[in-house]
Amino acid sequence: MATVAPAASAAIEPLGKARASRLTRERVRYAWLFLAPMLVVLFLVAAWPLGRTMWFGLTDANLSDLAGAQFVGFANFAYLMSDPDWWQAVRNTVTFAVISVTLETILGLGIALAINANLPGKGLMRTAVLIPWAIPTIVSAQMWAWMFNDVFGVINHMLMAIGIISQPVAWTANPDTALWAVIMVDVWKTTPFMALLILAGLQMLPSECYEAAEVDGVHPLKVFWKVTLPLLKPALMVAVIFRILDALRVFDVIYVMTGNNKSTMSMSIYARQQLVDFQDVGYGSAAATMLFFIIAIFTVAYMTLGRVGKED
């Protein structure tokens, strides 16, 4: 009997692998079947317009005569790479994205920790935190633009009243302060979004780790650094990538507050200016295509680094 059991086991093992392989193939086939309608819709609403934009970027298309567009190859992209206004827009966008997302992550984490704690009135706190996020971006941007106004804005009035400034400042017109004003508004507007995503991650953390740390008498700060942050890393990665993608294609809050000001112009505003104001569809499409590739490269790099860090 001792010699029969290994032989039987060796005979059964390939059969089990074959069944598992067949089951895996069936699951993959049904997964593609269920995904097919979504992929078709995604192609119609995303892939086709994107491909059309890339094609226009290779032509000299004009808004008044799209049918007469001529193929010019990579001439638009070559000129774009040599345009200092484009690189200024890239710097503005990256600066805006890095600073705003960093501040929103830190503040959102603090708010999420406060809301997640067993404190009195945390239900009211959750409702209050949502107010900035619930206001439409156009409305909040215009509201803050009035508040930052150098003539009747309440920001100047308050700062002068407490002696921080001696005369009104044109916050959104001054190149030294315009981008910082926009960043502050975006942080005020979007921090609740980060707080909600991080809060969802906090509420999924296992309570056993905290109970064990409490029994062992571990300091709360050490629990935060050694337990909470490592366990919260996946949720933080999702929150940050969502915000980075949104920040890199920012348009509305900057355009409402500062218009086509070069000191704050983002890549999206630059592309819009070429497409609409100058009616240069070819060059504007090249700018939009470059914006897409920059976001795609950043996303792939971020996800790759996150995966490598997870494996380590």
Side-chain angles (χ1 to χ4, degrees):
M1 293 296 293
T3 58
V4 175
S9 176
I12 293 174
E13 185 175 355
L15 180 61
K17 289 183 178 180
R19 290 179 177 176
S21 178
R22 185 168 61 253
L23 181 60
T24 301
R25 288 196 300 270
E26 290 180 357
R27 287 180 176 177
V28 171
R29 183 166 60 252
Y30 280 112
W32 280 110
L33 181 63
F34 290 133
L35 286 173
M38 183 274 294
L39 293 175
V40 172
V41 174
L42 188 63
F43 174 80
L44 294 176
V45 303
W48 169 250
L50 178 61
R52 187 71 169 166
T53 300
M54 291 180 178
W55 164 249
F56 277 133
L58 301 173
T59 69
D60 62 352
N62 188 278
L63 194 61
S64 59
D65 186 22
L66 291 178
Q70 300 294 322
F71 181 79
V72 296
F74 292 95
N76 290 325
F77 294 92
Y79 183 78
L80 184 69
M81 294 297 99
S82 63
D83 187 358
D85 291 341
W86 163 254
W87 290 112
Q88 178 65 40
V90 173
R91 286 192 294 271
N92 292 339
T93 307
V94 172
T95 302
F96 172 86
V98 171
I99 297 177
S100 63
V101 173
T102 300
L103 293 175
E104 289 160 9
T105 303
I106 296 173
L107 294 174
L109 178 59
I111 293 172
L113 289 171
I115 295 176
N116 192 54
N118 293 322
L119 298 176
K122 67 178 183 179
L124 180 62
M125 188 183 301
R126 290 184 183 184
T127 305
V129 165
L130 286 174
I131 292 176
W133 189 45
I135 300 175
T137 303
I138 301 298
V139 175
S140 59
Q142 188 61 62
M143 175 184 70
W144 279 97
W146 290 334
M147 294 171 65
F148 278 122
N149 188 275
D150 57 329
V151 177
F152 52 81
V154 67
I155 302 294
N156 280 319
H157 179 75
M158 293 172 57
L159 294 178
M160 290 174 65
I162 60 179
I164 294 180
I165 59 175
S166 58
Q167 58 184 4
V169 177
W171 298 98
T172 57
N174 188 337
D176 296 329
T177 59
L179 187 59
W180 287 103
V182 173
I183 289 173
M184 193 191 82
V185 174
D186 187 74
V187 170
W188 174 85
K189 164 72 178 173
T190 321
T191 295
F193 173 78
M194 295 292 285
L196 286 177
L197 290 181
I198 297 173
L199 177 62
L202 284 172
Q203 293 182 340
M204 294 177 64
L205 299 184
S207 60
E208 294 83 0
C209 298
Y210 297 96
E211 293 172 357
E214 185 177 357
V215 171
D216 294 338
V218 182
H219 194 277
L221 284 179
K222 191 173 183 180
V223 173
F224 173 75
W225 288 109
K226 299 296 184 179
V227 178
T228 303
L229 275 185
L231 293 176
L232 197 59
K233 182 181 176 181
L236 280 173
M237 285 191 63
V238 171
V240 170
I241 193 62
F242 272 131
R243 276 301 302 136
I244 284 287
L245 293 179
D246 199 34
L248 287 176
R249 58 185 179 84
V250 63
F251 175 84
D252 43 12
V253 63
I254 296 180
Y255 189 75
V256 171
M257 293 187 66
T258 62
N260 290 325
N261 190 335
K262 289 184 179 180
S263 62
T264 59
M265 180 180 291
S266 66
M267 291 184 285
S268 296
I269 294 177
Y270 180 91
R272 180 260 172 204
Q273 185 185 50
Q274 304 301 321
L275 281 165
V276 179
D277 294 348
F278 302 154
Q279 298 190 4
D280 192 345
V281 175
Y283 187 64
S285 297
T289 301
M290 284 302 301
L291 171 60
F292 168 77
F293 281 120
I294 289 173
I295 295 176
I297 291 171
F298 180 87
T299 304
V300 171
Y302 181 85
M303 299 303 292
T304 302
L305 291 175
R307 190 177 299 112
V308 171
K310 186 177 181 180
E311 291 174 355
D312 293 342

